[in-house]
Structures are given as C-alpha cells and as structure tokens.
Amino acid sequence: MVNGRNVERRTILKAAGATAATLGMAATTGCGGDGGASADGTVTIRYAWWGAEDRAERIKKTIALFEKKYPKIKVKTDFQPYLDFWKKFNTQASGGNPPDVFQNAVGFLRKYDAKNVLLDLSEQAEAGNLRLDGFRAGLEKFGEIDGKLLGVPVGSNSMALVIDKPVYTRAGVKPEQGWTWDEFDAGMKKIRDKTGRAGDSGMYGVMYLYDLYLRQNGKAFFTEDGLGFTEADLTEWWTKAEKGVKEGVYADPKKVVQIKPKSALAGELAAGEFTWDNFTVRYSAEGKSEYALAPIPTTDGKKTGQYLGSLMLSASKRTQHPKEVAQFIDFMVHEPEVAKIMGYDRGVPATQAQYDAFKPTDPVNKAIAAYEESLVEAGVLEPITPHPSGADICESAFLRIAEELGLGKRSVDDAVKQFFTESKTALGT
C-alpha cells in the first residue's frame, strides 16, 4: 500500500503481540486463555492487536464496556507495532499458544488456516453466540475462506487517491468518478507544469493499487493459489512508474525517503498519493494544506476494480473458550458504544448499527464516510481478490523491491525477476 512510505502506512496494518507475563502463563497451559475457569466460573481470554498507543487506549475502553456486560469474562490485552506483532504471533502459533482472539487481515487468513491456527467461527454463529447480520456492503463475507468463517470485520476501507485540493484546483485538474488513466496522466503533467510540483508520490510499490489496475483489465494480483499476472505485466507497470519519475510527474523517490516519516503529499513533494481512504486522517495531522479524497482512475471509464478491505478479528483454534471469544467478537462489531469510542481508527465501522452510532463531526472523517458511501452508490464495489497462503510475504517483497527500484538500486528487469523469484518461493509455485 505504499510507495516508499513508512512502515505504518505501507503495511496498511499495525500489530499487537503478547507480554512476557501472559506468554509465560499461557505456555504452562499449552493453549489460549487461562486454561480454564476460576472457582466462580470466571474465564480469562487473551486479546492481541497491532497499533499505536492511541488505539490501545480506545480498545481498553471498549474492553471495560465488554467486561461490564460480561462480568464472568476477563480480557488480558497485548499490543505492539505491526512487525513486532507478527514476529511474536508466529512464535506463539508455532508453539501452539496463540492469543484466544486477535486482530487479523485478509493476507494472513489462508496462511494461518493452512497451519491449523484459526478457529472456524461458523459453529459459534450457528449457536447464536456471534451475529452475522447487520453488516454493511456484504462485509460479513470478507473473512470467509473455503467455506470457513476465519475472521469477522471490525471496519472497512477502500483504496483512494488523496489529493492536495488547492494544488489540484490551481492546476485545473478535476478528478471525477469514471475518469481514465489517460486523463490521470494528463492531469499529472498539468500539475507539474502549472504548479512546479510532482503530480503524484509515485506508484512503484502500491501493491493494492496495482491489484485494482489488474482487476480493471481482467486479471488480479492474486489468485487462490498464486500470482494472477505475468512478468510482462509487471514490467509494463514499473516501466511506466520509472518513466514518470524521470519526467517529474511522480515525486523523486530519493527525496521521499529523505523526509520520512512524513509522506510525500504532506511534505509537498507531490500533489497526490494513492492509499487507503481511512489514512486521510494522517495527512491532515502532518501537513499544512487541505486534503480530499478522489476516485480511482479507470481503464474503461467504468470499472475501478475496487472492493472494501478490512481489519478483522480472528480466533485461535486452540482456545478453551470459543463461546466467550465469539461473544467478545460479537460485542466488538455490533455494540454501538464501541463505535463511539473507536471512531474510524480501524476503518469505517463494519456493521450498520455501529456506522449509525458514530457520526463524525470533523471534515476529514466526514469525507471518509462520504467516499465509501459514494462507492456503494456508484456500484463499483466487487468481491475482494483471494489471497493465497504466503500473500503477506509477497506484499513485503513488492514493497521492498519497488523501493529499491525507485532508489536506482535495481533496473526494472532485475526488479521484476527478483519479485517473481521471491514470490514463487513464498507461494510454493
């Protein structure tokens, strides 16, 4: 999701792992939770997520509400930055001791299902402990893989083009639903020529944008068991990106790296940047301009290839408390008060009840809600591309190799070959 941006935004997701004390206790039981119930019937479940301190504070407030409603269920919490979370989670999963419930993303579902880590929540839904009604735009299907319910969405987002509105206005560029890539390219040149700024931060490593482009052309980044495009396809994409940098319509990657962690858009190196819609909050916080969400360019003026992405909650197959875990997930995705606390921290609320409960008053979050509503009304949303086991490794490779290409450390041909070599190993193809 990125283009030389900091890890926070490039991976779109930040993560949480378990504390040493919790790990030590869980290791003695060899399973999730506290290994059983206390004398009064109280059980303890472990909940892990990724994110910064502000997310942690919000989540702790929601847990307090949950424990008030379910006094016999106690929740032990762990959180860490994204990369640290997955390192620790891999260790926990390998040792048969993952958290009872944890934040997850679509790129990891098949991977951990194949490792026999994830609990199929369908049984709990059938038992009435987890409601699957009331979700927006078909999001209840987002965590279904091969007939199993492996995750339940807590929020949604979609790819967008975040723009510096005054710069676009000054250049006379008006992005509208259905505009084409040719119109986008022409707009980038107008911005460069009329404002002296690069039109976009560059598209070297925006894997999810490339996925949309492929979907617009009848392909996809992933199939259920591998990559859905060829070396020739990627060569064309990265050649265009490299040419855009040389022509000054995309920001110089070397300068983008120099101003990290600030983005190229907020740092005024570019007039726009492709990213997830709910990341817009960040630009307003770190930049001085007015930012807006613009539609994704199309190949034919109609098909954007877009879908709603989502963070979700998954459960461990080894948990001793599947009912309590299901009740916890149900509360977190349906309880209106949770939405009032979390806001759009993890995306736009996935259920209608939570969506209605939180009405943003600030311009940025209002724009995010309006953008997702416009996608639904325009009828452009499609089912998400399947992600095979190993997709997370492919995404990391795409990001890293694209940055090396942008910095001049690799040629296009070398970058393409390296990506396919690493991906084939990760996917076992």
Side-chain angles (χ1 to χ4, degrees):
M1 304 184 235
V2 287
N3 207 20
R5 305 177 185 136
N6 64 356
V7 174
E8 175 85 19
R9 288 177 303 124
R10 293 188 299 187
T11 50
I12 323 156
L13 303 170
K14 292 307 157 217
T19 64
T22 303
L23 283 172
M25 184 174 101
T28 64
T29 65
C31 58
D34 63 354
S38 64
D40 65 354
T42 299
V43 302
T44 300
I45 61 175
R46 291 162 51 211
Y47 173 32
W49 70 90
W50 61 80
E53 283 286 349
D54 58 341
R55 176 177 294 177
E57 291 305 313
R58 291 172 187 266
I59 288 179
K60 287 175 183 177
K61 291 178 181 177
T62 67
I63 289 172
L65 290 180
F66 173 77
E67 291 182 334
K68 183 176 181 180
K69 182 174 181 179
Y70 294 94
K72 295 293 186 180
I73 307 175
K74 301 302 178 184
V75 183
K76 287 193 173 183
T77 62
D78 303 302
F79 79 98
Q80 288 184 0
Y82 180 78
L83 296 179
D84 292 337
F85 170 80
W86 287 112
K87 287 178 183 177
K88 184 160 285 187
F89 185 85
N90 282 329
T91 299
Q92 293 172 304
S94 297
N97 183 42
D100 294 276
V101 59
F102 52 94
Q103 188 169 286
N104 204 353
V106 67
F108 298 92
L109 293 182
R110 288 185 186 275
K111 175 177 181 175
Y112 288 108
D113 182 43
K115 293 184 177 182
N116 209 32
V117 173
L118 304 181
L119 176 68
D120 182 355
L121 291 161
S122 300
E123 184 176 333
Q124 293 301 319
E126 292 169 1
N129 298 320
L130 175 60
R131 291 168 289 170
L132 296 179
D133 58 338
F135 282 83
R136 299 171 41 247
L139 280 167
E140 70 276 4
K141 299 290 186 182
F142 191 79
E144 287 190 4
I145 298 291
D146 302 329
K148 292 178 285 189
L149 181 61
L150 302 179
V152 180
V154 293
S156 69
N157 55 12
S158 189
M159 285 297 296
L161 172 60
V162 184
I163 64 172
D164 186 318
K165 194 173 179 180
V167 174
Y168 262 68
T169 299
R170 208 156 64 238
V173 178
K174 298 179 180 179
E176 298 178 346
Q177 190 71 43
W179 68 327
T180 66
W181 285 106
D182 287 341
E183 291 171 330
F184 170 79
D185 293 338
M188 297 303 96
K189 293 178 181 177
K190 286 182 69 175
I191 291 171
R192 177 199 61 190
D193 295 342
K194 293 190 175 184
T195 71
R197 189 181 300 185
D200 190 76
S201 64
M203 303 184 294
Y204 277 101
V206 193
M207 190 196 87
Y208 288 93
L209 174 65
Y210 185 44
D211 183 32
L212 299 191
Y213 179 79
L214 289 168
R215 287 161 64 94
Q216 290 176 16
N217 290 278
K219 298 185 179 183
F221 198 98
F222 292 117
T223 64
E224 290 187 5
D225 55 7
L227 298 176
F229 60 99
T230 66
E231 291 189 22
D233 293 327
L234 184 56
T235 298
E236 179 183 359
W237 179 257
W238 274 345
T239 296
K240 178 181 178 181
E242 186 178 57
K243 180 182 178 183
V245 171
K246 292 178 180 178
E247 294 179 346
V249 295
Y250 298 152
D252 182 345
K254 294 182 178 66
K255 293 182 179 179
V256 173
V257 169
Q258 289 172 357
I259 66 168
K260 285 183 179 180
K262 182 176 285 190
S263 69
L265 177 57
E268 301 183 358
L269 294 179
E273 185 162 277
F274 288 98
T275 188
W276 298 99
D277 56 17
N278 63 311
F279 289 168
T280 311
V281 176
R282 175 173 187 193
Y283 297 102
S284 299
E286 69 180 19
K288 300 178 181 179
S289 191
E290 178 185 359
Y291 305 99
L293 290 164
I296 296 294
T298 69
T299 298
D300 62 2
K302 299 177 182 178
K303 184 181 175 69
T304 67
Q306 282 174 279
Y307 45 81
L308 290 182
S310 177
L311 288 181
M312 63 187 76
L313 295 180
S314 292
S316 165
K317 183 175 285 189
R318 294 178 65 87
T319 182
Q320 290 191 350
H321 311 298
K323 176 182 177 181
E324 289 79 3
V325 164
Q327 291 173 323
F328 177 78
I329 294 175
D330 182 88
F331 183 87
M332 290 300 167
V333 300
H334 288 286
E335 173 56 48
E337 293 301 314
V338 169
K340 293 178 183 179
I341 294 171
M342 295 304 302
Y344 288 175
D345 180 81
R346 296 177 297 191
V348 178
T351 57
Q352 193 65 44
Q354 290 196 342
Y355 181 82
D356 293 339
F358 176 71
K359 295 298 183 183
T361 56
D362 62 290
V364 176
N365 280 310
K366 280 184 176 180
I368 295 171
Y371 179 74
E372 291 207 7
E373 288 175 356
S374 73
L375 297 180
V376 175
E377 292 172 1
V380 299
L381 294 174
E382 304 172 5
I384 190 171
T385 304
H387 283 55
S389 177
D392 57 315
I393 298 176
C394 295
E395 179 179 351
S396 296
F398 192 87
L399 178 66
R400 171 176 47 78
I401 295 169
E403 185 170 277
E404 292 171 353
L405 170 62
L407 294 175
K409 296 179 180 180
R410 290 183 184 274
S411 66
V412 171
D413 288 344
D414 180 49
V416 170
K417 286 183 173 59
Q418 184 64 29
F419 172 74
F420 271 80
T421 296
E422 293 188 25
S423 294
K424 288 177 180 178
T425 298
L427 299 170
T429 56

